[in-house]
Amino acid sequence: MTFLVGIAIAIVWMKDLIAVVMLAGIYGLLSASFFVAMDAVDVAFTEASVGAGISTLLMLVAITITGRSEQTTRHKPALAFFVVVITGGLLIYGTIDMPYVGAVDAPIQVHVAPRYINDSMQEVGVPNIVTSVLASYRGFDTFGEAVVIFTAGIGVLTLLPMVRSRKSDEAIESLNESMHERHMVVRIVAKILIPFILLFALYVQFHGDYGPGGGFQAGVIFAAAIILYAILFGLPAARRVINQSFIQFVAAFGVLLYGSVGLVSLLNGGNFLDYSVLSADPIAGQHLGILLIELGVGCTVTSVMVIIFFHFAGRKEGKQSMKEEETR
Amino acid sequence: MVIGLYNYWIVVALMMIGFYIVIAHGNLIKKIVGLTIFQTSVFIFYISMAKVDGGTAPILADGIERFSNPLPHVLILTAIVVGIATTALALALTVRIKEAYGSIEEEHIQEKDNQAC
C-alpha cells in the first residue's frame, strides 16, 4: 500500500514520459496484488491484464507519436498544492465516520450482499458469485458497459482514421525481412507462447462460472496475444491475419449477441435479460444465458482493444512512411 | 483506529496525488496518467469497503461460510475495462491535438489559440 503512494509521488516528479508510463504499469501491477490481498480475485485479474498490460502499451504507442519529454513549467504549483491539501484534509475528516476496513457489520455488508451470497446458488447455479452478479443480477449494467466499450472503439475509429498506402506497405514489408534476422529469438519465443496465451484466454472465458475470470478478462488477454503478434511481426502481417472489417464486425457482433439474448428472453415471456426462460430448466437457462453474454462481452472487448491498438500503431507507421516519401 | 482507517487514508493520498497531477501539470499525457491514478484510488476504495475480516474470495465452495462482498467487485471489474476504453479515447484525442497544434503542452496550445483569434 505504502509502495503505491511512493510510486505515485515518483510519477509526479518524473519528467521523462516513458519512465512515467513504466511506473504507471508497476503501479497497476501493485494495485492488482493489493486486490488479491483484499480477496477480490476477479478484480485483480482484470487490473493485472489491463492496468499493467494494455494501458501501458497504449500509452507507449501514444508517446511515440507525441514525443517523450515533458516541459518543466507548471501552472501555479503552490495554489494547486493548497487546493489539494484542503480537499484531502476534508476527505480524511470524512473517513473518520467510516466503518473500519473489514468490519462485518458495516452498512455495505448487510443489505444486498447476503442475498447474493446465500441465494445465488439456488437462483443462478454458478459458484462464482461475481460472475452471477455480473451477468445475471446486474445484466443491465454489464450490457451498458459493453455498449460504452463499443462506443469508445467507434470514437477511436473516427478520431484516428487509417492512413495507408500500398507503397508504404511494401516498404514496411522489406524492412520486416531485414528485422527478421535481428529479432529471431524473440519471434520464435513469441510463436511458441502465443498459442498458449490464446488457449489461456479461452479457458478464462469459459471457466468464468467456476473460478475467477469471464468475458472482460478473457477479452483483454486475447487482445494482448494479438497485440504481441502485431508488435513482433509488424502491423501489416497482423492485419493480414485479422482483417480490419472482420474485427469491426466482431465488435458489433458481441454487443448484438448480448442484446439479442435479452430480446429472446423477452420474447419467451420473461423480463429483458431474464435467462431463466431460455430453457425448460431455469438453472440450465441461466447457464446458457451467462455463457452467451460472456461470449458477447469477450468478443466486444477483444476486438475493441485490437482496433484501438491497430489504429494507434497504424497512425504512427502511416506518418513515418509519409515523411519518408516527402524526403525522397 | 489507525489500522482500521489506514486503507482509506492511502486512498485519499493517492487521489490527491492524481488530482495534483491533473491540475498542476501542463502535459496532456501526464494529465491522463494522473487521471488513471485517481481512478485506481477509487477502485481501491471500493475494494477496501468490500473486504470482510476472515472472509475469502466470493466463490462458493464447501466449508466456507464468510465471503467478501461481491457487489463492489462486479462494479469495479467493469469500471476497469471501461476505464481503459475511455483512456484510449483520451489518448486518441491527444494524438489529434498533437497533429493539429504540434504540441501537447497546454501553454503552447493556448498561445496558438490566442494567435488565431
Side-chain angles (χ1 to χ4, degrees), chain A residues 27-47:
Chain A
Y27 176 85
L29 195 61
L30 265 182
S31 53
S33 39
F34 167 72
F35 292 151
V36 174
M38 289 279 127
D39 300 329
V41 275
D42 281 274
V43 182
F45 208 152
T46 323
E47 176 68 27

Side-chain angles (χ1 to χ4, degrees), chain A residues 16-295:
Chain A
D16 187 348
L17 285 178
I18 289 193
V20 167
V21 170
M22 285 305 163
L23 279 176
I26 297 173
Y27 176 85
L29 195 61
L30 265 182
S31 53
S33 39
F34 167 72
F35 292 151
V36 174
M38 289 279 127
D39 300 329
V41 275
D42 281 274
V43 182
F45 208 152
T46 323
E47 176 68 27
S49 50
V50 168
I54 300 277
S55 83
T56 316
L57 262 178
L58 285 181
M59 286 196 181
L60 280 180
V61 178
I63 284 175
T64 53
I65 303 175
T66 57
R68 63 180 286 179
S69 61
E70 188 201 4
Q71 242 195 1
T72 43
T73 54
R74 295 178 191 186
H75 317 295
K76 308 185 183 105
L79 180 67
F81 191 70
F82 180 68
V83 171
V84 163
V85 167
I86 294 222
T87 326
L90 286 176
L91 282 175
I92 293 219
Y93 177 69
T95 60
I96 290 175
D97 282 341
M98 296 274 300
Y100 289 168
V101 173
V104 183
D105 54 348
I108 182 177
Q109 319 292 8
V110 294
H111 284 298
V112 228
R115 154 122 196 230
Y116 291 151
I117 290 170
N118 297 328
D119 300 346
S120 72
M121 200 61 194
Q122 283 88 47
E123 288 177 358
V124 184
V126 169
N128 187 350
I129 308 176
V130 172
T131 304
S132 61
V133 176
L134 176 92
S136 191
Y137 290 108
R138 302 189 69 89
F140 268 56
D141 286 16
T142 314
F143 185 46
E145 257 122 30
V147 174
V148 168
I149 294 166
F150 182 62
T151 318
I154 296 176
V156 173
L157 271 178
T158 37
L159 281 171
L160 302 176
M162 282 288 189
V163 199
R164 67 185 302 205
S165 55
R166 277 280 121 219
K167 219 190 209 171
S168 68
D169 266 14
E170 279 160 20
I172 292 167
E173 195 78 343
S174 62
L175 183 75
N176 228 17
E177 291 295 307
S178 66
M179 297 269 270
H180 193 70
E181 292 283 302
R182 257 193 290 163
H183 294 305
M184 187 82 95
V185 176
V186 189
R187 282 189 176 188
I188 289 174
V189 171
K191 259 191 183 160
I192 298 170
L193 272 180
I194 285 174
F196 287 107
I197 300 178
L198 292 177
L199 199 65
F200 180 60
L202 287 176
Y203 165 76
V204 171
Q205 169 85 47
F206 294 110
H207 203 257
D209 298 2
Y210 302 100
F216 285 101
Q217 294 95 327
V220 174
I221 295 171
F222 212 89
I226 296 171
I227 291 173
L228 178 66
Y229 183 80
I231 290 174
L232 287 173
F233 293 87
L235 210 50
R239 258 205 217 113
R240 220 171 299 138
V241 180
I242 296 143
N243 193 297
Q244 178 73 19
S245 50
F246 170 71
I247 196 96
Q248 282 171 8
F249 170 76
V250 173
F253 173 77
V255 176
L256 261 180
L257 181 66
Y258 202 138
S260 0
V261 170
L263 276 184
V264 167
S265 58
L266 201 63
L267 291 176
N268 277 353
N271 290 326
F272 188 65
L273 291 174
D274 177 8
Y275 315 127
S276 303
V277 291
L278 286 181
S279 163
D281 176 23
I283 298 287
Q286 290 281 356
H287 271 292
L288 183 65
I290 289 176
L291 193 72
L292 283 177
I293 68 145
E294 290 274 23
L295 194 63

Side-chain angles (χ1 to χ4, degrees), chain A residues 2 11-12 14 34 39-40 55 70-71 74-75 84 95 100-102 108-109 113 127 129 145 159 312 315, chain B residues 1 4 6 9 16 24-25 30 44 49 51 53 55 58 60 69 73 78 82 84 92 96 99 105-106 108:
Chain A
T2 321
I11 289 177
V12 177
M14 285 284 194
F34 167 72
D39 300 329
S55 83
E70 188 201 4
Q71 242 195 1
R74 295 178 191 186
H75 317 295
V84 163
T95 60
Y100 289 168
V101 173
I108 182 177
Q109 319 292 8
I129 308 176
E145 257 122 30
L159 281 171
F312 271 106
R315 195 76 179 172
Chain B
M1 169 82 188
Y6 181 64
W9 291 346
M16 287 307 114
H25 286 257
K30 190 100 175 223
I44 293 176
M49 285 200 299
K51 167 83 176 161
D53 278 336
L60 295 170
N69 194 334
H73 294 184
T78 47
V82 170
I84 179 67
R96 287 305 294 261
E99 285 172 4
E105 300 288 340
E106 227 174 29
H108 295 175

Side-chain angles (χ1 to χ4, degrees), chain B residues 12-62:
Chain B
V12 172
L14 286 176
M15 195 181 266
M16 287 307 114
I17 291 169
F19 189 36
Y20 178 78
I21 294 178
V22 173
I23 52 181
H25 286 257
N27 187 298
L28 293 177
I29 297 265
K30 190 100 175 223
K31 270 184 203 280
I32 294 174
V33 175
L35 275 180
T36 317
I37 293 178
F38 197 110
Q39 203 182 18
T40 315
S41 78
V42 178
F43 299 160
I44 293 176
F45 180 62
Y46 268 66
I47 298 301
S48 303
M49 285 200 299
K51 167 83 176 161
V52 176
D53 278 336
T56 60
I59 297 171
L60 295 170
D62 293 336

